[in-house]
Each structure stands twice: as structure tokens, then as C-alpha cells.
Amino acid sequence: MDTLVAALRSFLPGDSVITDPVRLRTYECDGLTYHRATPGVVVLPGTAEQVARVVRLCNEHGVPFVARGSGTGLSGGALPREDGVLIVTSKMRAILEIDLPNRRAVVEPGVTNLAITEAVRDRGYYYAPDPSSQQVCSIGGNVAENSGGAHCLKYGFTVNHVEACEIVTPDGDLVTLDRMDPGYDLLGAFIGSEGTLGIATRITVRLCRAPEAVTTVLAAFESIEQGGQAVSAIIGAGIVPAAIEMMDALAIEAAEAAVACSYPEGAGAVLIVELDGPAEEVARQFARLQEICANAFELRVAADPAERAAIWKGRKSAFAAVGRISPAYIVQDGVVPRTSLPAVLAAIDRLSAQHGIRVANVFHAGDGNLHPLVLFDDEEPGAGERAEVVSGAILDLCIEHGGSITGEHGVGVDKSRYMPKMFSADDLDTMQLVRCAFDPRGLANPGKVFPTPRLCGEVPGVRKGVHPLVESGKAEQF
Amino acid sequence: MIEGVTVRQAGAGDAVRGVLPRWVALPETVEEIAAVLRACAERDLAVVPAGGGTKLHWGPPPERCDVLLDLCCMNEILEHAAGDLVVRAQAGVTMDALAGTLADKGQELALDVPFSEGTTVGGTLATALPGPRSFRYGTARDLLIGITVVLPDGTIARSGGKVVKNVAGYDLGKLFTGSYGTLGVIAEATFRLHPLPADRRWVVAGLDRAEAAPAAAALAASQTEPSAIEVDWPDPAGPLTLAVLVEGTTAEARAAALRELTGGAVTRERPSWWGLIEGDEVLAEARFLPADAGAVLDEVAATGLALRGSLAAGRVLLTPCRDLAEDELAAAVARLRERARVHVLAAPYDGLDRWGQVSGLPLMRRVKERFDPGRRMSPGRFVGGI
Ligand SMILES: Cc1cc2nc3c(=O)[nH]c(=O)nc-3n(C[C@H](O)[C@H](O)[C@H](O)COP(=O)(O)OP(=O)(O)OC[C@H]3O[C@@H](n4cnc5c(N)ncnc54)[C@H](O)[C@@H]3O)c2cc1C
Ligand SMILES: Cc1cc2nc3c(=O)[nH]c(=O)nc-3n(C[C@H](O)[C@H](O)[C@H](O)COP(=O)(O)OP(=O)(O)OC[C@H]3O[C@@H](n4cnc5c(N)ncnc54)[C@H](O)[C@@H]3O)c2cc1C
């Protein structure tokens, strides 16, 4: 490590190589604070060429590296390695080009998601994927996680909005992956690979034209079942809203306590539906929506941007808000087919009762993406373990119903052990072929996404114990 | 030869660009595909997958081909979860059959595949051409949410699933979409669907070359949410036709608003040329930045190529509108490459540079080596001779 650090200092400015133990600790975890590790060294490169040099040095020294954007990830994807280099993109925050005639922008990876929209909003454009963390999270992190947001029901995820990426491959080469190029869709494979196939150093995103009209509706229902039925009816009517979000009574209580969002009192569930598009189309859809939500006991329509913000306020604060009603909690992220929502919610209810653990449900209802907040008191002996059990059982439910163990927060370190429940050994081995093509030495963010996979070059077969090459220190397992 | 799998001797009609396979295998299940590929691996036989067989002449001839793997018997629609707007189908299902089933429930796969009778799900994915409405809905890779593939060694692998939102693991679907049969066989696919639009209108206008690019740009910047903006230019000596599609309950009113930008007429009729170039003995795709559309048209004007596609999305298909010799075609492509990425999808010539410069090519070769170390899947048929 010492020779590596000296080499890093030879081309990076002094304040861009961090070895001071106190400062290193700032980087010991991402948004999932449960997993921590102090990085061997932290570098803050300012250019793609510098990132490439860092990665080449890692190769020369056989040292693993982990990329980090803003560290808001919720699956431990940016968890550093004690024996490795953490490459932080926070000095790469330039918006390089705004090209409205081509509806695209070219940005450095450290640029925040919201900064792109802010740069083009007054000209009537925006960047569509809108994770709730958009004020802080970086585009590089979004690319790595294929992040979505409340509006991805209509507009899709990061992968649908990135036109090209310049990447530093795990070998340290600068390569551009572009949707315009013929050949394999390596850009599509790279997006969502959680930093295990290289580091994005320059990202070309698509900009969308701002919709002519936006109508935001808050519908309050007596029960979560009624809310769920309304969701199915909206989709069944052929309407594709920009967003359909739902919160249950416990989540509403938490939001109320935190931000006084004044949602209708006594609601068993609230639904936030946002329609956007051409004005006539939105007006027609809204009329239909009113019919569908006839059994809602209150239907509130935002008359202006301030009222819209008020409706969204409760939903956007939901995660942080549960802190008001519970000392500790786990944020889960799983997906079920939309039609399974009622059955899965009922099953979560039963799990909650059975283990004496409260669960607040907040979710992207339109695409079946659940974010159950599993509440517990960390002072109470055994409560944390019970919460873990409930949280894990929710993922099992998602898999049983043909869904996914993660809709947007990624696998990271947190869920790699669930991957074999969702995928067969052959599925995972096949994904490893991609990994081995990009990163034969296994240096890019090792230990994430996949549960202890085989070494590149090893023939598929039965796996037992530690690989002899690893045991003898001749190879790294990733 | 392989237990339970129908295999027949190949005949002259089974040749892939002149290369005659020895056998044609007709598997009926994913397991049978795997059995065929395993058997081929054991005997070092080269395989070319075939869907409807409508585009087997695209790309260079395979370096070798022992077995044509015909997926026509993999023709079952496995699950249409209408409430979830999701469908799962085997690779040999024709796009026509799929559209019929989906339409029964008022839904569609928003891909606009022409000649849908002969075209299969697998062939559509393996070639992955964008259609008119990709302007709004994206291309095959954006609508594919899960895939089952069989690797050259017979391994069956799955990625994605049947939910639209899913970030668990690598997305093998992206990798196999547009892979032209060179990584393995697509066996099943799951797509996200859209409700069939309540109503639709086209605005159709005739324009001069110089007017086309600015008109397309104005349409793309409008807030009326057009689903597609296409041009047809059958002869570079003549004028162009521009057509815009609007979908939804208020299509009529929005089309009227768009007509203000382009002139022309509003119609319920799909233009006869919409989303389709029929002659494909020579066919090329050009992709470019929308702002370069005018310059691309200027180049095309001098080439003897007919053009159809989207200036607003920056992708068009080109085909000769008169006899073009090999060197003329090569010169036209080279000229266009100053302004666009050009991929020659089909041409009966072997000296032609079909792909041009591709920055990711070394990585693509490495992916190919990992998936198909024996170079037995459609060897030589894709970018850089992969
Ligand atoms: C309050 C809160 C709300 C959230 N809401 C949402 C939401 O609505 N939707 C959603 O999808 N997510 C959400 N997230 C999760 C998180 O914000 C996203 O995953 C985000 O994309 C992470 O970006 P980041 O810059 O913080 O990445 P980091 O946490 O720094 O890193 C995330 C992963 O990306 C890799 N990485 C970072 N930069 C690069 C790069 N340049 N090249 C390659 N790999 C890189 C890292 O190695 C790591 O694996 C939320 C998080 C919080 C804390
Ligand atoms: C939106 C759109 C627009 C189009 N527009 C046009 C147009 O204007 N003009 C035009 O000529 N064509 C166009 N096409 C292409 C056309 O529709 C093709 O016929 C189709 O894509 C090929 O289908 P097929 O089943 O006949 O495949 P085949 O001809 O059988 O195969 C085509 C290629 O895919 C491979 N392949 C087939 N099945 C599989 C599989 N299961 N696994 C792996 N590889 C496989 C084959 O080896 C071959 O390389 C368009 C396609 C789309 C999707």
C-alpha cells in the first residue's frame, strides 16, 4: 500500500490523496450505515485520465478499487476495502455540455442528479429519472445502480436515459460505450452493474421536454385494499400516470409527525397520482381518474406548484420520518407484480403480527416496488434480530410472487446472499462471464452483487470450501 | 442424433448466405435447445440460430455452419399477465401471433415490427432494429424485462424477471438484444406492454429537403407528446414526406395543433411506407445526432440511396434507389460516416466495411470469447467479424 500511495501522490495533488485515519473514516460507509470498513486510501481524481491512472496503478499492485459518488447508496455498494483504493468522484462535478438541439447533456460523474434538471429547467427541459435522493446523489452512482424515481412508471430508469458513457475499464483503459455504435449493448450491461465493470467518467444523458400540464392528486381511502384496487383500475383503464405512490396508515402517521403534511385524517391509505403530458390528454385522464377513485373519501387536487409540493412532501419525507415513531428501522426494497400487491401486503401484515414488529408501507405502487420500513427498538433485546427476520421474509415473499429482491437500491453487499434465491447457479455463472470479460482480475468493487463467485478461468462445477489459489494467497476471489 | 429432438438433413434452401449446414434441428423446449447445443459442443459443430428466417442473409456469411437451429417450434405464449402489463413468450412465437393475443386484452408490445407474420420474438431481439415509436417507447432493449438464453455449451441462464422494475444482477437481456446469434440462443423473453392507444392520428406533409430537418426538430420540441416522427425519401432527387403520429384519447386535437407546425393533412390512415423498407438486399442503418439531420440529408442526396426513418430520433434506414455497384456503395457509406454511424445490415458484398469504427470493440471481443470460446455461434457474422 505504501508504494501505491507514493505513486498516487506523484500525479495527484496533495489534497486528493487521503491517508489520514480520521479523514478516512468519513468514507467508511454509504447510506447503509450498518456495514463499515475504513478504506486503505481515498483518492479524489479531477479528470478521467487521473481515474484511469489510478486504476492502472491498482492493476500493477493487484489492489482492489471501489468507486464512490455521493455515498447515498442503500445497499453498501460503495463500502470500501481496507486493502483497497476508494475512488471518489466528488471533484468531477462539471456539466460539460448542454445541447438542447440534441436534447442531451454531457456531465462528469460527480454531478448531482438534480443539478442537471436545474441547469435546463428554465429552458423547458429536465432530466427524467428522479430518485428521492436527487439533491445529493451523483449521476455516476445513478448509472451504477440504474436508479429510478417516482416518475419511472411512465419515463423509465437511468438505463433508458443514458446515451453514452465514457468508462475506465478495470484494466485502466478509457473506452466510450455509445448507444449509437453497432455491436453488443455493453452500455446497457454496464448500467446497473454497481461499479463492478469499471468506473463511469463522463456520461451523456437524454433531456426530456417538460410536460405541458401536470395534475397531482391525493386520494384518501379507508383501507389499503381500496387503495390497491384503485391502482389496478387506473392501469386497467389504459392510463399510464407519471407516478402512482401509496402510503399506509403507519407511514402517514410518521410523515404527519415529522412534516405535518396534513393528509386527510383517518386514512387507511393515501394514493398520490401524478398525470402529465399534453393539457387535453391530462384533463381527460383526470376525469377518468375521478370516476375510478369514486370510493375515496377525499380527493385533493393540487391547484398550483405549492400545493403539489405539499402533497409530495409527506411521501418524500417518509423514510426519514419513521425516525419520529421508531428508534430504529430497516428500509427494505423489493418488487412484486402489481397484481400481487394485495396478497403480499396481507402477508406482510401477518409477518408483522407474528413477530411483533411494526411495518410501515411506502411504495411505488404503479410498478409494484415496495419499500416496507421495518420498525424496531434497538434497546429492546432481540428486536433487531426479529426485524431482520421480517425484513428477509419480505424478500422471500417477493421472490415467491415472481418479483425481485431489489427494484432500485441495488444488491451491493447487503443482498448478495439473496441472489442464489432469485437466480440459479447457472444464471449467476453466466453473469460472471460478463464480469470476467470486463474484469478478469476481479479488482473492480469485489465482494459486491455476487455471493463469492468462482474465479475467472475456472471451469464450472461443484464448489467446495475456499479456492486453493485464494488460500495460498495467489489469487483474489471476487 | 440427439434424444427426443427433431433433426433433419439440411437442403439447399437452408443455406445461410451460401453456407450450407449439414443438419437442421427443431427443438421444442428450452431443454431441447440445451441438448442440441451440448451435442454440438461435444462435436465442435458450428450453429446458426434461425427465427422466421426472414433476415438470415443479413451480415456476412458464417465462417462455418454445421447446424441451423430453427426455433419455429418454440411457439408458445407462456404467460400474458394483463393486469401487470407483462407477457412472456418463447423465441419462436411470431410477432403477429403475439400482437393478436395482446390485442384481445387491449394491449400491445410497442415495437412496430414490420412483416410481423414471418418475424419471431427471437429474431426481433437478435436484430433489435428501432421502429417509428422508439422515439417515445424506446427500442427492444428498453421493453425487454427478462430473458432466458442458452449458451453455446448448453447452459440455460435467465436474467431479469417479470417485473418492470428490477436491478438484481447483470442484465443479460441487454447483452443478447442485438447480438445477431453470436453469443448464444435466445429461448424465451418477457416484455413490458402498453395499453393500445384509445385513438391515433397521423399528420402527413410533403416537404423540400431543406425544410425537413427544422420541421422534425420543431416537432420533437413540442409538448404534444408525439409518438413518432418519420420521414420517407424514396428518391433523393425528389421531395420528402414527413409524418407524425399522435396517440391517446385526444389525438385529433393534438394532431391539429401539430399541423400548425408542419402543414399537410391529418389522417387516421397509417401511411403505406410507415416504418418499413421492403427491399433489403442492400440495407444500411445510420444513427446521428438530430442536429446533424440536415447535413445527413445533404450527404444522402449525393449517394443514390433512399431513406426512411426518424430525423428527430437520429436514425434512418437506407437502401439503394437505383443499381449501386459495390464500390459506389462503399463510397456512399464512407461519405455518410463523416456525419453518422453507419451499420451496413445487409449487402451481398464481402469486401465492405460493415461497421466502421466501434470504440467498445476490444471489450466486445472479450465478451464473445467468454460466452463462446469455441467460436461456434454464428462465427464471423457480427461487428468486427466476431
Ligand atoms: C434518502 C434516500 C432516498 C433514496 N431514494 C432513492 C430512489 O428514490 N430511487 C433510487 O433508485 N435510489 C434511491 N436511493 C439510493 C441512492 O441514492 C441511489 O442508489 C444513488 O444512485 C446512489 O448515488 P451515489 O452517488 O450516492 O452513489 P454511491 O452510494 O456513492 O455509490 C453507489 C454505487 O455506485 C458505484 N459508483 C459510484 N460512482 C460510480 C461511477 N462513477 N462509476 C461506476 N460506479 C460508481 C459505487 O461503487 C456503488 O456501488 C435513496 C437513498 C437515500 C439515502
Ligand atoms: C422495429 C423494427 C423495425 C424493422 N424495420 C425493418 C425494415 O424497415 N426493413 C427490414 O428489412 N427489416 C426491418 N426489421 C427487421 C425485421 O423485422 C426482421 O425480419 C426481424 O427482426 C428478424 O426476424 P426473424 O424471426 O425472421 O429472424 P431471422 O431472420 O431468423 O434471424 C435474424 C438474425 O437473428 C438471429 N436469431 C434469430 N433468432 C434467434 C434466437 N432465438 N436467438 C439468437 N439469435 C437469433 C439469426 O441468427 C439472424 O442473425 C425491423 C425490425 C424491427 C424490430
Side-chain angles (χ1 to χ4, degrees), chain A residues 67 69-74 77 131-133 138 141-142 144-145 147-148 194 198 200 408 445:
Chain A
S70 305
T72 67
L74 290 172
S132 320
S133 50
S138 73
N142 290 177
E145 301 286 353
S147 297
E194 303 192 27
E408 55 183 22
N445 212 2

Side-chain angles (χ1 to χ4, degrees), chain B residues 48-56 58 71 91 111-115 118-124 126-132 180-181 184-187 275-280 283 317 378 381:
Chain B
V48 173
T54 63
K55 304 296 169 191
L56 283 179
W58 285 13
L71 292 147
L111 272 182
D112 304 320
V113 182
F115 346 101
T119 298
T120 61
V121 164
T124 297
T127 52
L129 253 61
Y180 282 86
V185 176
I186 298 167
L276 152 75
I277 281 203
E278 245 162 314
D280 70 342
L283 189 67
L317 287 178
S378 300
R381 299 218 76 191

Side-chain angles (χ1 to χ4, degrees), chain B residues 72-308:
Chain B
C72 64
C73 306
M74 295 277 297
N75 57 5
E76 213 181 314
I77 296 172
L78 301 164
E79 184 184 1
H80 176 203
D84 294 319
L85 287 160
V86 164
V87 71
R88 187 162 65 95
Q90 289 185 320
V93 169
T94 64
M95 296 308 284
D96 200 39
L98 187 66
T101 298
L102 301 177
D104 286 344
K105 295 276 169 64
Q107 299 181 353
E108 64 165 345
L109 173 57
L111 272 182
D112 304 320
V113 182
F115 346 101
S116 58
E117 276 160 53
T119 298
T120 61
V121 164
T124 297
L125 285 172
T127 52
L129 253 61
R133 286 186 300 165
S134 63
F135 181 71
R136 169 136 175 228
Y137 299 97
T139 59
R141 56 93 97 162
D142 298 296
L143 298 171
L144 181 75
I145 58 172
I147 197 165
T148 303
V149 296
V150 186
L151 303 193
D153 67 0
T155 303
I156 298 170
R158 220 165 36 89
S159 94
K162 58 175 194 175
V163 286
V164 169
K165 207 168 177 188
N166 182 359
V167 294
Y170 294 157
D171 191 343
L172 299 176
K174 298 275 189 303
L175 202 59
F176 275 74
T177 302
S179 65
Y180 282 86
T182 60
L183 292 177
V185 176
I186 298 167
E188 286 175 17
T190 308
F191 296 99
R192 73 173 295 188
L193 305 172
H194 285 86
L196 274 172
D199 203 357
R200 58 174 57 158
R201 291 290 183 282
W202 279 266
V203 184
V204 184
L207 298 173
D208 288 333
R209 187 202 333 161
E211 298 169 320
L219 291 166
S222 102
Q223 288 175 311
T224 34
E225 228 171 52
S227 296
I229 305 166
E230 293 280 300
V231 297
D232 176 41
W233 199 21
D235 177 355
L240 294 89
T241 307
L242 177 75
V244 199
L245 168 66
V246 258
E247 298 173 315
T249 43
T250 59
E252 178 81 48
R254 286 154 55 211
L258 282 174
R259 208 181 69 101
E260 303 287 306
L261 295 173
T262 58
V266 175
T267 157
R268 289 167 194 267
E269 291 290 306
R270 177 200 316 250
S272 59
W273 52 268
W274 184 258
L276 152 75
I277 281 203
E278 245 162 314
D280 70 342
E281 196 163 334
V282 173
L283 189 67
E285 188 191 12
R287 302 187 193 179
F288 47 88
L289 291 175
D292 291 337
V296 168
L297 290 180
D298 291 345
E299 297 295 348
V300 169
T303 60
L305 294 168
L307 172 152
R308 196 166 279 172

Side-chain angles (χ1 to χ4, degrees), chain A residues 362-408:
Chain A
V362 178
F363 44 94
H364 306 301
D367 35 37
N369 186 190
L370 306 166
H371 284 316
L373 299 154
V374 183
L375 316 182
F376 64 100
D377 182 351
D378 47 354
E379 305 266 281
E380 185 193 325
E385 287 74 15
R386 293 204 317 277
E388 278 277 330
V389 168
V390 170
S391 166
I394 291 174
L395 289 188
D396 292 335
L397 275 174
C398 292
I399 296 171
E400 263 167 50
H401 285 266
S404 171
I405 56 171
T406 169
E408 55 183 22

Side-chain angles (χ1 to χ4, degrees), chain A residues 42-395:
Chain A
V42 171
V43 294
L44 299 103
T47 65
E49 286 67 30
Q50 288 178 352
V51 175
R53 274 184 85 170
V54 173
V55 170
R56 282 200 293 274
L57 275 175
C58 289
N59 269 268
E60 278 164 33
H61 291 77
V63 164
F65 60 88
V66 178
R68 178 183 168 109
S70 305
T72 67
L74 290 172
S75 54
L79 179 75
R81 298 267 300 200
E82 281 169 11
D83 60 348
V85 180
L86 187 72
I87 303 174
V88 184
T89 61
S90 56
K91 286 202 175 168
M92 299 175 74
R93 288 223 167 132
I95 294 181
L96 301 169
E97 194 185 335
I98 288 179
D99 180 3
L100 290 185
N102 290 312
R103 301 184 300 280
R104 40 168 70 195
V106 184
V107 302
E108 289 188 328
V111 168
T112 63
N113 173 296
L114 191 60
I116 301 179
T117 290
E118 279 174 347
V120 294
R121 184 186 278 142
D122 59 358
R123 282 172 278 179
Y125 285 82
Y126 73 113
Y127 175 62
D130 59 341
S132 320
S133 50
Q134 67 180 153
Q135 284 198 13
V136 252
C137 67
S138 73
I139 283 294
N142 290 177
V143 164
E145 301 286 353
N146 188 19
S147 297
H151 295 81
C152 60
L153 177 62
K154 179 170 175 183
Y155 292 101
F157 316 94
T158 303
V159 71
N160 310 111
H161 293 269
V162 170
E163 297 288 335
C165 271
E166 173 193 74
I167 68 165
V168 171
T169 67
D171 293 340
D173 294 332
L174 273 170
V175 175
T176 299
L177 309 177
D178 191 326
R179 266 190 99 158
M180 288 210 281
D181 273 336
Y184 299 139
D185 183 7
L186 298 186
L187 178 64
F190 181 84
I191 296 172
S193 64
E194 303 192 27
T196 62
L197 300 181
I199 301 183
T201 48
R202 177 199 268 256
I203 298 148
T204 305
V205 298
R206 195 147 69 83
L207 301 172
C208 290
R209 185 75 169 92
E212 189 181 19
V214 181
T215 296
T216 309
V217 179
L218 181 82
F221 294 92
E222 265 152 29
S223 70
I224 197 112
E225 290 73 32
Q226 286 180 355
Q229 281 156 9
V231 174
S232 296
I234 294 167
I235 302 294
I239 301 174
V240 183
I244 311 183
E245 299 287 309
M246 187 141 108
M247 291 165 74
D248 72 1
L250 194 52
I252 299 167
E253 179 194 327
E256 211 63 68
V259 296
C261 51
S262 13
Y263 283 176
E265 227 166 286
V270 294
L271 212 57
I272 299 174
V273 184
E274 193 154 280
L275 302 166
D276 75 8
E280 304 98 327
E281 198 69 28
V282 169
R284 285 284 268 277
Q285 292 183 349
F286 175 60
R288 192 79 185 81
L289 182 70
Q290 278 178 307
E291 289 165 25
I292 290 168
C293 294
N295 65 340
F297 70 80
E298 189 175 332
L299 202 67
R300 214 178 265 179
V301 186
D304 55 40
E307 287 188 20
R308 174 171 317 128
I311 288 179
W312 277 105
K313 193 170 169 193
R315 168 63 186 89
K316 292 205 164 164
S317 68
F319 286 7
V322 292
R324 296 294 185 103
I325 60 164
S326 177
Y329 62 95
I330 300 170
V331 181
Q332 190 49 284
D333 166 40
V335 190
V336 296
R338 186 172 34 233
T339 47
S340 305
L341 273 175
V344 171
L345 289 172
I348 292 178
D349 236 15
R350 283 195 295 277
L351 276 172
S352 161
Q354 186 187 338
H355 294 273
I357 290 286
R358 292 189 300 164
V359 179
N361 282 301
V362 178
F363 44 94
H364 306 301
D367 35 37
N369 186 190
L370 306 166
H371 284 316
L373 299 154
V374 183
L375 316 182
F376 64 100
D377 182 351
D378 47 354
E379 305 266 281
E380 185 193 325
E385 287 74 15
R386 293 204 317 277
E388 278 277 330
V389 168
V390 170
S391 166
I394 291 174
L395 289 188

